[in-house]
């Protein structure tokens, strides 16, 4: 997967290149990340990329010309969808991550200041994505969140092929609890079922804990999701248990 990012702060993306799962993914030939700085596409001595908003008000707006030229340069090598990160976009979830991770190439546009001149959004941007209902100082961290979410899904990037399909949200449920050694930590014991080696029983226990957590913490996820017959039965059994208490 090829990712090109348009940003005034290309150095921020070194964090992805230098650390953890994203470093592993980007060291492979199958994934590449390049940054383009709109400042390199300005025409004046001060390399100006922003100006005051028409109509007045606080802050500055990113000017269209440097962005247009910068996008033209990116387009020489990348014809993938251009995504603008902004709080006005569709909210990122695991379904959208999986959809985007399946594409061969993507371009991200990161705004700073009050944002980008609307004419760039209208004429060049394919899609607008938000990472949640809060306001960052720019799109860079949002793009980094999305890039990390996508790169970890690429084949062979996670240690176990199963880890990505088994974690929170990929099945539309929250994750079950995890334990490692020691068996007894400060008097808190690992649940006995996990020590027995009965994989059918372990699977049932994990699904139960996932359903239970999802129901208490994020009931909205259960409302949106089709439940399998087994899941429905487990939830009914959990309800009965709770009513008996
Ligand atoms: N830029 C500023 N805030 C943002 C958000 N919540 N999501 C995506 N991009 C942003």
């Amino acid at each position: 997967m090829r990712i090109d990012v348009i940003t005034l702060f290309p150095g921020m993306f070194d964090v992805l290149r230098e650390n953890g799962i994203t470093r592993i993914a980007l060291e492979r030939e199958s994934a590449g990340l390049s940054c383009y700085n709109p400042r390199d596409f300005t025409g004046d001595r001060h390399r100006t990329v922003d100006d005051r908003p028409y109509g007045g008000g606080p802050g500055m707006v990113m000017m269209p010309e440097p962005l247009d030229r910068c996008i033209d340069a990116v387009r020489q090598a990348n014809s993938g969808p251009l995504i603008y990160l902004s709080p006005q976009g569709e909210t990122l979830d695991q379904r959208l991550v999986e959809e985007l991770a399946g594409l061969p190439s993507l371009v991200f546009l990161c705004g700073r200041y009050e944002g980008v001149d609307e004419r760039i959004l209208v004429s060049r941007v394919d899609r607008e994505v938000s990472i949640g209902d809060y306001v960052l100082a720019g799109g860079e961290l949002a793009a980094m969140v999305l890039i990390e979410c996508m790169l970890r899904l690429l084949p062979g990037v996670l240690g176990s092929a199963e880890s990505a399909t088994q974690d929170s949200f990929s099945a539309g449920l929250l994750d079950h609890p995890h334990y490692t050694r020691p068996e007894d930590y400060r008097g808190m014991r690992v649940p006995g079922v996990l020590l027995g080696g009965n994989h059918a029983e372990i699977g049932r226990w994990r699904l139960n804990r996932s359903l239970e957590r999802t129901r208490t913490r994020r009931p909205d996820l259960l409302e949106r999701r089709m439940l399998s017959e087994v899941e429905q039965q487990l939830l009914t059994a959990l309800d009965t248990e709770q009513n008996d208490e």
Side-chain angles (χ1 to χ4, degrees):
M1 135 167 280
R2 180 189 176 102
I3 302 168
D4 290 298
V5 183
I6 298 170
T7 169
L8 292 171
F9 298 101
M12 288 179 72
F13 291 82
D14 290 343
V15 171
L16 296 176
R17 292 191 186 90
E18 289 168 8
N19 298 283
I21 285 285
T22 51
R23 178 173 70 85
I24 292 168
L26 292 171
E27 277 172 356
R28 299 177 170 226
E29 270 182 29
S30 53
L33 173 67
S34 305
C35 289
Y36 288 71
N37 191 339
R39 239 179 247 293
D40 297 334
F41 298 86
T42 49
D44 64 320
R45 202 157 54 91
H46 300 290
R47 312 213 304 152
T48 312
V49 289
D50 60 332
D51 206 342
R52 284 175 315 215
Y54 275 116
M60 301 288 269
V61 176
M62 287 178 77
M63 295 155 66
E65 295 99 323
L67 285 174
D68 245 337
R69 286 193 216 115
C70 188
I71 294 168
D72 287 342
V74 175
R75 284 291 183 224
Q76 305 277 314
N78 188 328
S79 58
L82 197 162
I83 295 178
Y84 175 54
L85 284 312
S86 101
Q88 281 79 47
E90 57 185 303
T91 311
L92 185 66
D93 61 12
Q94 192 63 19
R95 183 202 56 74
L96 181 53
V97 170
E98 284 166 19
E99 179 189 332
L100 298 176
L103 300 175
S105 56
L106 282 166
V107 182
F108 292 117
L109 170 60
C110 305
R112 279 272 149 177
Y113 319 115
E114 292 307 306
V116 161
D117 188 290
E118 186 68 16
R119 290 161 293 187
I120 290 293
L121 305 187
V122 169
S123 62
R124 312 278 328 236
V125 167
D126 298 302
R127 209 156 169 177
E128 221 167 306
V129 172
S130 162
I131 62 163
D133 292 338
Y134 42 82
V135 182
L136 299 161
E140 283 78 7
L141 287 174
M144 289 164 73
V145 165
L146 181 41
I147 292 168
E148 174 165 311
C149 289
M150 293 191 303
L151 290 180
R152 67 187 286 282
L153 295 184
L154 297 186
V157 169
L158 286 187
S160 149
E162 290 171 326
S163 329
T165 50
Q166 289 193 355
D167 53 21
S168 285
F169 296 115
S170 68
L173 296 175
L174 298 186
D175 206 0
H176 55 75
H178 298 264
Y179 297 88
T180 186
R181 288 189 298 177
E183 213 175 292
D184 183 331
Y185 183 65
R186 298 184 172 174
M188 294 175 279
R189 300 195 61 81
V190 174
V193 58
L194 301 179
L195 308 172
N198 182 334
H199 290 287
E201 230 176 90
I202 293 172
R204 209 163 32 245
W205 181 86
R206 286 180 168 161
L207 180 55
N208 248 323
R209 298 291 79 76
S210 281
L211 287 165
E212 203 169 42
R213 269 192 174 173
T214 311
R215 195 184 47 185
T216 40
R217 298 184 191 183
R218 293 290 307 277
D220 58 303
L221 292 178
L222 285 182
E223 278 154 29
R224 271 191 261 152
R225 184 176 180 279
M226 292 281 289
L227 290 173
S228 74
E229 209 170 309
V230 173
E231 289 168 347
Q232 194 55 66
Q233 279 166 4
L234 289 174
L235 263 183
T236 313
L238 284 172
D239 280 337
T240 320
E241 262 170 49
Q242 213 168 42
N243 290 336
D244 289 349
E245 275 167 13

